[in-house]
Amino acid sequence: MSATAGSPSLHRWPNPGILPGFGLSLGFTLLYLALIVLLPLAALAVKASGLGFHGFWAIAADPRVVASLKLSFGISLLAAAINAVFGLLVAWVLVRYDFPGKRIVDAIVDLPFALPTAVAGIALATLYAPKGWIGRIAEVFGLKIAYTPVGIAIALVFIGLPFVVRTVQPVLADLDQEIEEAAATLGASRFLTIRRVILPPLIPAVITGFALAFARGVGEYGSVIFIAGNMPFVSEITPLLVVIKLEGFDLAGATCIALAMLGISFVMLLAINMAQALSRRRFGHV
Amino acid sequence: MDIRVRQLAKEFNTFRALHGVDVDIRSGELLALLGPSGSGKTTLLRVIAGLEEPTGGQVFFDDIDATSIPVRERGVGFVFQNYALFKHMTVARNIGFGLEARPKGERPSRAAIAARVAELLDFVQLSGLGGRYPAQLSGGQRQRVALARALAVEPKVLLLDEPFGALDAKVRKELRKWLRLIHDKTGLTTVFVTHDQDEALELADRIVVLNKGLVEQIGSADDIYDRPASPFVYDFIGDAVGLEVEVADGRATIGTQSIPLGLHVHDRGKGRLYVRPHHWQLSEADAAHLVGTVISQRRSGAERRAEVEIAAHMSFEISLEPGQEIATGCRLGLAPKRWRLFTASGRVIDPGVSRVPEDYAI
């Protein structure tokens, strides 16, 4: 192999270079991933497989489960999309402008990371409940936020925000401001400059942030259950359903739902990652 | 198009980048803005482009006051030091960007844009590279793409900010010649910023020397090099020694020695006497007015340089023929063949110049 190392593209196994460490580090990475990630997931699969395909399908296709899956994934996608837009805006302001208290604002972005999710859930529920500060105002307009899917969306937007901001921020900071000036000297309007010059290089980072926020949203439990109201078919998220099954000592049912969720998540994240790779190829000549 | 800059001032918070700059740029000329870092040369260029708003003064394009015209509508081609290419677009899309950015009514057809891009690629000698991305090009090629992109919108004036600053010496020399060629072909009024005096002297029709936000001198390479208008220009352009002298009775006194300046010098008081290293006439020490001791010497390219000490802690370099070797420690007589004296009262005395050229601005 080393005799033809000069043309690595001919090999499926690329030449890792002259510095040592490739074998050891790859070995460790695979072992670590297997122990930390794959082993528990395999245990989940083994447990669920005890039911057989028909048993699995009977539970996974249960209308209540299907409704919860639709809700969980639908609202997570929506919340991630909202975060992609506004997280980008927050990152923009934090990178581009100097204002008093900027460091504090920057630190606030991380709060949803640091807060125990149950605390966040209780706080949000208190705010948006019909008697809460915001819930009271919303009620005047006939809007009900807490105990509806809207409430779930708010909770997921809350916990997902830092993912987009923190992935976009460094990329935006690296973006050369001269390209905006160049666009201006070439006669481009501000809107065109943002659309054609600034946004495209940011898209890979935005997609990454979107994927992270989405994944976090799907798995979120603590902050959602307090505000969701947890009505079956309306505002019951899948993780809650898993917990309900567990509390009823239905371990097989719980693993079944969990496996269904895992499968869908995996497929969606794979799709997002592929979109990300595509966008990187399209825009990523940076 | 000619450009007139009048009393231009620019302040960044407390830092005054330009204070009251007047420059007339003639239509079709290639002008260099030369100065050390912090001299305001880039700020001046950016104000002309409209990328920076002046805190005072005006910029005229022909007879139109362009000071408040936004950069988008000013019709300038601007080339950035670090190219500022759009990295996610191909070379062809980069070049065509300015045309595609035009509002619907004025935008050329797709075919017309493609034709113009092909023409420009050919003009900057990058035919066939239109499908590449900037990351796949060398520095010199990127700079040429940046220039083609600026030319695509048919600007009235071409402005370049340190265009060759990020390139290695050899590519820089090539691009220098090539920029001259482009300028001569397009006939555009062209202004470029540089801190490299060789670049300015070799390339430009005229040079504006800036220092601390003020114009020190405007003139041709001959004016700037042979007739520096101020001690700053002397120190900045080429090599020269500026000796602190006491002037009286037509003589300049340095320490215990004195040089006759000629009978026409009637000034008295302190001054700075500037002499370039190759303008010293060497002689035997015995009969000379100024005597120095060679303390070191070295070969530098086409000439030989010797460090000569004329008093304790006062030494300067003189230039010798490469074959002319003088032993270190040897005593030499020195007489300036050409010199320029700047008196403390602000007068410039130069035996080589009988008249003051019109272009002088101090």
Side-chain angles (χ1 to χ4, degrees):
Chain A
M1 177 103 75
S2 61
T4 51
S7 52
S9 58
L10 294 178
H11 298 282
R12 287 191 53 78
W13 199 256
N15 181 12
I18 198 163
L19 296 177
F22 172 70
L24 186 65
S25 55
L26 182 70
F28 178 77
T29 303
L30 293 180
L31 180 71
Y32 190 79
L33 277 176
L35 277 177
I36 302 289
V37 181
L38 292 180
L39 195 63
L41 295 185
L44 191 71
V46 167
K47 190 82 200 168
S49 70
L51 286 167
F53 180 75
H54 289 289
F56 170 78
W57 190 249
I59 295 170
D62 173 31
R64 187 171 162 191
V65 175
V66 171
S68 81
L69 284 171
K70 274 188 191 164
L71 182 77
S72 267
F73 284 99
I75 302 279
S76 295
L77 280 175
L78 176 74
I82 292 172
N83 273 329
V85 175
F86 292 97
L88 180 62
L89 206 67
V90 172
W92 175 271
V93 170
L94 285 177
V95 170
R96 283 302 169 88
Y97 304 114
D98 266 320
F99 50 90
K102 177 173 165 170
R103 278 165 185 276
I104 296 169
V105 174
D106 200 61
I108 288 173
V109 170
D110 282 330
L111 277 186
F113 272 158
L115 222 52
T117 50
V119 176
I122 292 166
L124 288 172
T126 325
L127 262 184
Y128 290 101
K131 293 272 181 290
W133 288 350
I134 297 176
R136 203 181 308 164
I137 299 164
E139 199 153 58
V140 175
F141 298 101
L143 290 170
K144 213 165 166 298
I145 297 172
Y147 318 131
T148 68
V150 180
I152 302 176
I154 286 174
L156 294 187
V157 166
F158 174 81
I159 54 141
L161 176 73
F163 290 98
V164 177
V165 177
R166 291 293 179 239
T167 47
V168 173
Q169 222 174 354
V171 182
L172 192 55
D174 275 350
L175 205 61
D176 190 357
Q177 282 201 47
E178 279 186 350
I179 60 173
E180 290 169 51
E181 295 183 338
T185 62
L186 294 168
S189 66
R190 190 68 188 149
F191 176 71
L192 189 81
T193 304
I194 291 172
R195 195 164 61 84
R196 295 271 316 272
V197 173
I198 300 170
L199 282 185
L202 297 180
I203 282 177
V206 173
I207 295 178
T208 302
F210 174 85
L212 289 171
F214 165 71
R216 173 73 199 266
V218 170
E220 180 58 21
Y221 176 75
S223 63
V224 174
I225 50 162
F226 291 98
I227 198 173
N230 307 325
M231 278 184 293
F233 297 101
V234 178
S235 59
E236 188 178 54
I237 56 167
T238 316
L240 178 68
L241 212 51
V242 174
V243 173
I244 290 172
K245 295 265 183 206
L246 280 177
E247 282 171 350
F249 300 106
D250 181 6
L251 191 56
T255 48
C256 236
I257 299 170
L259 197 65
M261 206 172 165
L262 189 69
I264 298 171
S265 290
F266 185 72
V267 170
M268 293 188 89
L269 284 175
L270 202 65
I272 294 172
N273 272 342
M274 277 162 68
Q276 211 258 8
L278 266 179
S279 75
R280 205 170 275 286
R281 205 171 311 151
R282 171 81 178 73
F283 301 120
H285 292 274
V286 178
Chain B
M1 186 184 65
D2 56 45
I3 301 169
R4 284 179 297 135
V5 172
R6 285 287 168 270
Q7 280 304 306
L8 209 61
K10 174 69 187 175
E11 283 164 37
F12 296 101
N13 295 322
T14 55
F15 176 67
R16 294 180 72 185
L18 296 173
H19 10 177
V21 168
D22 288 304
V23 181
D24 284 1
I25 304 167
R26 297 167 193 158
S27 189
E29 88 172 323
L30 182 53
L31 186 91
L33 303 179
L34 177 66
S37 48
S39 60
K41 55 191 191 300
T42 293
T43 306
L44 177 55
L45 191 80
R46 289 173 61 86
V47 170
I48 294 173
L51 290 170
E52 217 72 75
E53 210 176 324
T55 37
Q58 286 157 301
V59 178
F60 293 93
F61 283 8
D62 284 331
D63 290 323
I64 302 154
D65 184 353
T67 319
S68 55
I69 299 178
V71 52
R72 286 178 46 211
E73 292 154 29
R74 218 175 266 203
V76 299
F78 201 99
V79 177
F80 294 83
Q81 182 179 4
N82 297 312
Y83 327 123
L85 294 176
F86 308 131
K87 292 168 186 157
H88 59 284
M89 294 183 199
T90 61
V91 166
R93 295 298 293 270
N94 263 285
I95 297 173
F97 182 84
L99 297 173
E100 281 176 27
R102 286 187 182 166
K104 271 230 166 66
E106 303 161 34
R107 194 187 308 154
S109 70
R110 238 160 223 263
I113 292 176
R116 177 88 179 120
V117 168
E119 184 191 320
L120 279 161
L121 275 170
D122 194 44
F123 186 61
V124 298
Q125 297 155 20
L126 290 175
S127 304
L129 299 185
R132 296 233 191 140
Y133 284 91
Q136 298 165 314
L137 301 179
S138 72
Q141 288 173 327
R142 284 181 215 177
Q143 192 59 286
R144 284 187 272 165
V145 173
L147 189 71
R149 184 179 66 176
L151 290 173
V153 291
E154 285 166 353
K156 292 173 281 181
V157 46
L158 189 58
L159 308 172
L160 306 100
D161 184 11
E162 303 244 8
F164 316 122
L167 302 169
D168 62 61
K170 193 151 182 272
V171 180
R172 198 146 71 191
K173 281 214 151 166
E174 272 172 35
L175 278 184
R176 220 187 263 175
K177 278 189 200 146
W178 179 78
L179 177 65
R180 181 80 229 183
L181 212 71
I182 295 272
H183 171 261
D184 294 346
K185 271 191 198 168
T186 59
L188 280 172
T189 309
T190 305
V191 183
F192 72 99
V193 159
T194 181
H195 63 263
D196 180 345
Q197 46 167 301
D198 293 336
E199 202 165 283
L201 292 170
E202 186 183 316
L203 193 55
D205 295 326
R206 287 196 309 150
I207 299 155
V208 178
V209 183
L210 287 155
N211 178 36
K212 292 177 183 162
L214 285 166
V215 175
E216 290 276 345
Q217 187 173 3
I218 303 177
S220 67
D222 287 341
D223 294 333
I224 303 278
Y225 194 84
D226 293 337
R227 295 174 288 279
S230 67
F232 171 81
V233 180
Y234 239 125
D235 285 329
F236 189 65
I237 309 277
D239 289 328
V241 58
L243 298 165
E244 296 284 351
V245 295
E246 192 72 39
V247 182
D249 306 326
R251 297 181 76 86
T253 307
I254 313 155
T256 57
Q257 313 193 61
S258 78
I259 309 168
L261 297 173
L263 292 172
H264 58 283
V265 179
H266 303 296
D267 297 68
R268 298 185 75 85
K270 286 197 182 306
R272 276 178 87 86
L273 182 71
Y274 276 87
V275 185
R276 296 210 183 271
H278 52 277
H279 285 154
W280 290 101
Q281 176 80 52
L282 305 185
S283 61
E284 293 295 325
D286 303 342
H289 295 287
L290 183 65
V291 176
T293 309
V294 176
I295 53 174
S296 69
Q297 55 177 303
R298 64 189 165 85
R299 176 67 191 259
S300 162
E303 54 175 18
R304 187 174 293 279
R305 291 288 180 99
E307 186 80 16
V308 176
E309 193 176 59
I310 54 167
H313 309 298
M314 188 182 274
S315 67
F316 52 84
E317 273 194 340
I318 62 167
S319 166
L320 307 170
E321 290 295 315
Q324 195 177 6
E325 272 190 77
I326 299 173
T328 303
C330 180
R331 281 163 58 77
L332 282 177
L334 300 159
K337 284 185 282 190
R338 292 199 48 186
W339 48 267
R340 214 158 222 257
L341 177 69
F342 297 90
T343 66
S345 55
R347 261 175 43 83
V348 184
I349 300 159
D350 185 336
V353 186
S354 51
R355 66 179 181 89
V356 174
E358 298 157 347
D359 274 348
Y360 264 34
I362 298 177

